Amino acid sequence: MPIDPAEQPVLDAVTAGFPAALGALGRLVRIPSIAFPGFPDEPLVTSAEAVAQLLRDTGAFELVEVRRSDYRTEDGSATGSPAVVARRPAAPGRPTVLLYAHHDVQPAGRDELWDTPPFEPTLRGGRLHGRGASDDKAGVITHVAAVTAASHALGDDLGVGIAVFVEGEEEAGSRSFDAFLAEHHSVLEADVIVVADSDNVSTTVPALTSSLRGNVTATLEIATLDHASHSGMFGGAAPDAVLASVRLLDTLWDEDGAVAVAGLESAVPPADGPTGPSDEQLVADAALLPGVRSIGRGSVAERLWYGPSITVTGIDVTDVVNASNTLLPSVRVRVSCRVAPGQDAGEAFAALERHLRAHAPFGAHLAVTDVDLGQPFLVDQSGWAARAARSALADGWGAEPELTGIGGSIPFISTLTERFPTAQILITGIEDPDTRAHSPNESQDLGVLRKAIAAEALLLARLSRRVER
Ligand SMILES: [Zn+2]
């Protein structure tokens, strides 16, 4: 469908503003705004101030402020990270949209795994490389550039109310998120919430995320002996903790690698839901080595988006250079379990813990600690905002959007819906399958960024004309 000629100025403003948007993204990437415990707070403050200035420079907001929640951890040590809020009121009868992104990033990890320095924005092959270049500083820039373009093109006709929430601790688990929403509810209240922190089908096909798995993460300590002893003296009769751990972990999956824990449920894919990639596409996207097969049963969508999964993400045992002929008395294991939409994360954790306790071999002792729960979510696609978003994505990208699930979780989404129960949620994104968010060599495709800005600017323009809420 051709663009309404009245909207051409909006798209022209996106094109005109793109070099400035890219420059601003590069400046944000230079700030190592990591909210993990043990990292300094100062870059988070710098980064929040930089985002606030970008929002002020749009000239579209009555209020732009850096705020922190009063939230404290149990030991009283940490406060919430600095977040940025902004607001412009809606014209009478027009809706208000809340634009969400986060300005904190994952730690860079080992520098030698990066082809370019992680906090040095580098343009190569049509992509901007650097930690946070995509997740989620490109989300921040999408909001800034879309507001700038819509407000330049429409002037006083920009009738939509706009609230902005740029969080500073998403990668660190959004610990003060709920408290922040409660404390700053009136600034953030909206009819529609756009969360620009997800994925696209490819660099040419946009996606609207419609289903998210939840997450249960826990640390297990498996102990069999009071202290270490010589494997030559006792091996073969005294069970060591590695043996017990390997046997226990093996019970979590069946022969196909599918989850074998009673009580961890799968969802029935909705009839109009996303169909998902082919197995060949999965093999390519996840970079399976030659000859390595995918695991589980059913379609890729059923496995990635509507079924549970269990991954061991860390094990504390003696490392190989320090290996000696010793029976290890205890082992620590970090287990991450993805929860299908429809199942409560607490219920899923209970099922996992029941399974582990029932299957601990040789009477091994089991302690379960550091439990984190994130709820799964299915996004309602039937509202007017979802329809408006689909048409804006189609016109901004020049390709019909697909509904997709994501196998990961965005735990704060369910918090958002609890705090703003009447708001319609739209999960858009700036990533594509080659983004490598959270990994070395993260990068943002510039074409995707431009199209994401165009789609969001069109959405703001269209919501400016929407009369009934
Ligand atoms: Zn993110």
Side-chain angles (χ1 to χ4, degrees):
M1 203 169 63
I3 294 276
D4 180 338
E7 290 181 326
Q8 193 55 46
V10 175
L11 295 177
D12 292 345
V14 170
T15 304
F18 192 68
L22 193 54
L25 177 56
R27 290 197 299 281
L28 291 185
V29 170
R30 286 183 193 280
I31 309 168
S33 47
I34 301 157
F36 276 44
F39 285 84
D41 189 59
E42 189 201 323
L44 286 160
V45 175
T46 309
S47 158
E49 287 297 345
V51 171
Q53 193 54 48
L54 289 171
L55 289 166
R56 285 185 198 110
D57 292 345
T58 66
F61 296 100
E62 275 187 3
L63 171 145
V64 178
E65 277 175 18
V66 175
R67 294 184 181 178
R68 281 184 199 249
S69 157
D70 294 333
Y71 167 91
R72 286 191 174 270
T73 50
E74 266 168 34
D75 63 1
S77 60
T79 58
S81 284
V84 188
V85 296
R87 192 167 184 98
R88 62 172 281 127
R94 299 295 196 262
T96 293
V97 56
L98 169 63
L99 306 176
Y100 168 92
H102 61 89
H103 69 90
D104 67 305
V105 298
Q106 287 275 328
R110 287 160 53 200
D111 268 13
E112 67 270 24
L113 297 177
W114 286 78
D115 296 336
T116 62
F119 297 107
E120 184 72 49
T122 311
L123 260 179
R124 280 197 330 181
R127 304 185 73 99
L128 186 73
H129 291 253
R131 170 58 82 230
S134 185
D135 182 13
D136 188 28
K137 288 174 172 173
V140 174
I141 292 301
T142 299
H143 295 327
V144 168
V147 170
T148 304
S151 104
H152 281 189
L154 301 180
D156 290 344
D157 291 336
L158 182 68
V160 66
I162 306 174
V164 179
F165 177 29
V166 178
E167 191 196 353
E169 56 183 34
E170 195 275 339
E171 302 292 6
S174 301
R175 53 191 180 270
S176 72
F177 191 88
D178 192 43
F180 193 98
L181 292 191
E183 290 160 24
H184 306 285
H185 195 273
S186 59
V187 179
L188 302 176
E189 216 164 9
D191 305 292
V192 181
I193 302 175
V194 177
V195 175
D197 190 19
S198 192
D199 207 355
N200 291 290
V201 176
S202 68
T203 55
T204 52
V205 179
L208 209 48
T209 299
S210 64
S211 115
L212 300 100
R213 288 194 293 193
N215 197 12
V216 170
T217 320
T219 299
L220 318 178
E221 178 150 357
I222 300 141
T224 52
L225 305 168
D226 181 60
H227 56 80
S229 43
H230 196 299
S231 62
M233 298 273 286
F234 297 105
D240 66 283
V242 179
L243 170 60
S245 302
V246 169
R247 294 294 299 263
L248 174 56
L249 294 175
D250 187 47
T251 67
L252 296 171
W253 307 274
D254 67 16
E255 297 279 285
D256 290 332
V259 168
V261 174
L264 279 184
E265 289 161 13
S266 293
V268 177
D272 58 346
T275 51
S278 65
D279 203 69
E280 293 72 42
Q281 192 62 47
L282 170 85
V283 165
D285 289 349
L288 274 61
L289 291 174
V292 177
R293 297 186 304 276
S294 67
I295 56 170
R297 287 179 291 276
S299 70
V300 173
E302 283 171 291
R303 285 179 278 161
L304 290 189
W305 303 337
Y306 300 111
S309 71
I310 299 178
T311 309
V312 172
T313 55
I315 303 184
D316 284 348
V317 287
T318 311
D319 49 24
V320 171
V321 283
N322 291 306
S324 63
N325 291 325
T326 304
L327 300 181
L328 282 191
S330 70
V331 167
R332 273 157 39 99
V333 180
R334 190 76 175 155
V335 172
S336 161
C337 169
R338 300 292 178 177
V339 181
Q343 180 161 42
D344 176 71
E347 198 182 277
F349 168 67
L352 179 65
E353 188 179 23
R354 255 196 323 273
H355 175 101
L356 290 165
R357 295 203 181 280
H359 290 80
F362 321 119
H365 294 196
L366 195 66
V368 182
T369 54
D370 292 333
V371 180
D372 283 328
L373 302 179
Q375 295 295 344
F377 195 70
L378 277 177
V379 186
D380 179 14
Q381 298 293 335
S382 63
W384 56 261
R387 282 196 300 281
R390 283 199 294 273
S391 82
L393 283 167
D395 294 336
W397 281 64
E400 284 297 323
E402 288 183 18
L403 291 182
T404 67
I406 54 172
S409 53
I410 310 182
F412 68 78
I413 299 272
S414 49
T415 313
L416 271 177
T417 57
E418 280 156 25
R419 287 285 171 193
F420 300 108
T422 58
Q424 302 179 63
I425 301 232
L426 306 170
I427 306 173
T428 61
I430 28 61
E431 296 180 21
D432 69 89
D434 204 25
T435 294
R436 306 194 197 179
H438 297 201
S439 305
N441 301 318
E442 174 178 352
S443 66
Q444 174 63 44
D445 182 273
L446 300 192
V448 168
L449 180 61
R450 228 185 63 79
K451 289 179 279 198
I453 296 168
E456 192 167 301
L458 287 174
L459 179 66
L460 294 175
R462 290 171 189 181
L463 293 183
S464 292
R465 294 199 301 270
R466 186 186 165 82
V467 180
E468 76 281 20
R469 289 212 175 164

